[in-house]
Amino acid sequence: MPVVQPLLAARHTPDTAPDLRDTAADTAPGTSGDLLVKEMVAQQMRITTTAIYRYITYASLGVLLLCSACFAAVQVWALRGYLPVGLPSPAAWSLPIALQVLVLAAELILLSSAVTRSHAVQTTAGAVMAIGYGAEITAHVHEGGRDLLTVTFVVMSTLLALCWTLLALALRAGITDADALVLQQRGEQPAAPRPEPAPPAPAPAPAPEPDPEPPSVEWYEPVPEPDTASDLHDTGADTAADTNDDEDLVPVPAPGVALSDVEMDAVVHMIVTETDPPRSYREMEARYRELGYVGSAVRLRESWRRVTQPAADRS
């Protein structure tokens, strides 16, 4: 029971709302409440401004195109009345129409060059539009009367030219500001770290050279040949004589001098059999050089073979 009661109390404990005071303490210092409100307001302003800019631009462009088309028809009719009466009808209508088409084309090129931000094209289109509207205003001033209709034509031409110029400048400025903001945001973002190149794979270790030492060989001991002399009474004398002869023929090898094959074999045999197990070829060669004996490597290898291989194998 003492264990069950705490469990039941914990189960029936009502959920409590989190303490908001701890939330403010856990918030990072750079994300305060007023900064978040500013960010929300700035985001909303950007959305609203973008929408207004987009829709007002579309609306302004549509209204200007409609006004320019309607006013171009009126201008053609008015300019046709300024021309001489005797002028042929095709020429009398083609001149005002060509002038209005030139003005409309210049207005559209001026607007498109503001988007592409081509300064030379925009300047040329503005100059052509100014020349067209200037010709119309000059015709109204010189050929028209001092009435309200003429003043209306002059004012409308000036307003249309001013509106097309302002719309082109607004588009150019808006595109420039938008590109500047994007470039600023890209500059503030940390550049992604370039992946480090993988280290080159280690070169495989060269295979160890095979040991030039010969495989296990059978060692031989020089076996004294029995004396087959017929006179057994003279065995001791003959043996002494033979011993004296061998000592005269094969003296003790001395270091530092050239050795014969027999002397070299004796030295090699002595060095090899000094240890148990016998020395290998490399150990024998090192000991041979250490003792001061001389001889080429080829002769030493041949002496090693004569000493370590039985006579039957050599044959």
Side-chain angles (χ1 to χ4, degrees):
M1 289 299 293
V3 178
V4 176
Q5 289 179 356
L7 293 177
L8 293 176
R11 181 180 299 178
H12 294 288
T13 301
D15 295 336
T16 57
D19 193 357
L20 299 179
R21 292 174 296 178
D22 298 336
T23 306
D26 296 336
T27 307
T31 57
S32 57
D34 57 343
L35 183 59
L36 292 177
V37 171
K38 291 180 181 179
E39 290 179 352
M40 293 172 60
V41 172
Q43 182 179 4
Q44 187 63 36
M45 289 300 296
R46 283 194 298 268
I47 295 174
T48 305
T49 305
T50 304
I52 292 175
Y53 181 79
R54 179 184 304 170
Y55 295 122
I56 287 182
T57 302
Y58 292 157
S60 301
L61 181 59
V63 170
L64 281 177
L65 285 176
L66 181 61
C67 292
S68 297
C70 295
F71 189 67
V74 177
Q75 290 276 28
V76 169
W77 173 79
L79 294 176
R80 171 65 182 85
Y82 297 154
L83 295 176
V85 179
L87 192 66
S89 179
W93 289 103
S94 61
L95 290 177
I97 292 175
L99 181 60
Q100 295 304 315
V101 169
L102 181 65
V103 172
L104 288 174
E107 291 170 349
L108 295 177
I109 293 174
L110 178 66
L111 195 64
S112 62
S113 62
V115 177
T116 58
R117 287 183 296 181
S118 176
H119 184 71
V121 176
Q122 192 173 13
T123 304
T124 304
V128 172
M129 185 182 67
I131 291 173
Y133 279 114
E136 293 175 357
I137 293 173
T138 303
H140 290 307
V141 170
H142 287 278
E143 299 296 334
R146 302 283 181 176
D147 52 2
L148 180 60
L149 183 61
T150 303
V151 174
T152 303
F153 284 156
V154 173
V155 172
M156 284 295 299
S157 299
T158 306
L159 288 178
L160 284 176
L162 182 61
C163 289
W164 280 104
T165 304
L166 290 178
L167 182 60
L169 294 178
L171 283 176
R172 187 180 181 90
I175 294 172
T176 303
D177 294 341
D179 289 345
L181 289 175
V182 172
L183 292 176
Q184 182 179 1
Q185 292 177 358
R186 290 180 180 178
E188 292 176 355
Q189 295 177 354
R194 295 183 179 179
E196 297 181 358
E209 298 181 358
D211 193 359
E213 300 176 3
S216 60
V217 296
E218 298 180 359
W219 302 91
Y220 82 99
E221 296 289 341
V223 180
E225 298 179 359
D227 190 5
T228 58
S230 61
D231 190 0
L232 299 177
H233 299 286
D234 297 335
T235 302
D238 294 337
T239 302
D242 293 337
T243 303
N244 293 334
D245 293 341
D246 292 338
E247 291 177 359
D248 293 339
L249 293 175
V250 185
V252 177
V257 298
L259 303 179
S260 64
D261 292 343
V262 176
E263 293 174 343
M264 185 175 290
D265 292 349
V267 174
V268 170
H269 182 271
M270 175 189 67
I271 295 174
V272 169
T273 57
E274 281 180 350
T275 60
D276 188 16
R279 286 190 174 95
S280 63
Y281 173 77
R282 292 187 180 276
E283 294 174 348
M284 180 277 299
E285 183 181 10
R287 180 63 177 166
Y288 184 90
R289 303 300 182 191
E290 182 182 356
L291 293 176
Y293 291 101
V294 296
S296 63
V298 177
R299 291 190 61 208
L300 193 60
R301 173 69 67 177
E302 292 177 354
S303 177
W304 164 270
R305 292 175 181 173
R306 287 194 298 271
V307 171
T308 57
Q309 295 180 1
D313 294 344
R314 292 196 303 271
S315 63

